[in-house]
Amino acid sequence: MFLPILFVFSLLLSSTHASVLDFCVADYTAPDGPAGYSCKKPAKVTINDLVFSGLAIPGNTSNIIKAAVTPAFADKFPGVNGLGVSIARLDLAPGGVIPLHIHPGGSEVLIVIQGSICAGFITGATNTVYLKTLQKGDVMVFPQGLLHFQVNAGGSSALAFASFSSPSPGLQIVDFALFANDLPTELVVATTFLDAAQVKKLKAVLGGTN
Ligand SMILES: *[C@@H]1O[C@H](CO)[C@@H](O)[C@H](O)[C@H]1NC(C)=O
């Protein structure tokens, strides 16, 4: 008789505990745990933690990819911490490209606001390509962890917003992983079957060494 009562009591306690915090605004001043940021004390949370301003400003596309991503992820937007969501702005100048990349931590939903964008992803199981030129108002999904890209498909600037199923979806760009670090050229050649000359050229462009 005694044990079940204790069990119910401890369940009650733990569910009470779980409902103490309605949300977990990131506290950048406290140490991070294995699960991420510490939670700011609710009494210290302000509206400014819950609002991110800046996505009205076009990103600077004067760069090699002629594109810019302005993220509002948990490291810059404390309010999304713990909520399983985040958002980013994408600007693509004419000829702009968001190169082949993955988000290890979350799926993406992209909505085109202006211009047209050729977007696609490649499945992990069969390397099937799903590809579409998106117009204003079109929305496309990019499943978590799959390789994908966006290319400006028109002659004018394109604008899109991407939302994610994680406050910290992460970003790994394939070309940067291959050519922007000190992985020796011979190993890049051996593991990609690209020509050494091409690898050295891309390392020079992207700041890689070796
Ligand atoms: C955009 O970036 C380029 C290259 O870094 C820089 O020269 C330029 O001043 C920047 N433009 C603005 C408006 O910040």
Side-chain angles (χ1 to χ4, degrees), residues 60-63:
N60 187 342
T61 56
S62 300
N63 54 49

Side-chain angles (χ1 to χ4, degrees), residues 20-76:
V20 165
L21 292 177
D22 286 324
F23 47 66
C24 177
V25 167
D27 184 349
Y28 301 133
T29 66
D32 300 353
Y37 296 107
S38 298
C39 305
K40 208 168 180 179
K41 285 203 168 55
K44 296 205 162 166
V45 172
T46 73
I47 183 63
N48 292 331
D49 294 320
L50 310 172
V51 172
F52 182 93
S53 297
L55 295 191
I57 302 162
N60 187 342
T61 56
S62 300
N63 54 49
I64 188 171
I65 61 172
K66 297 182 184 160
V69 178
T70 310
F73 297 165
D75 59 339
K76 300 239 173 59

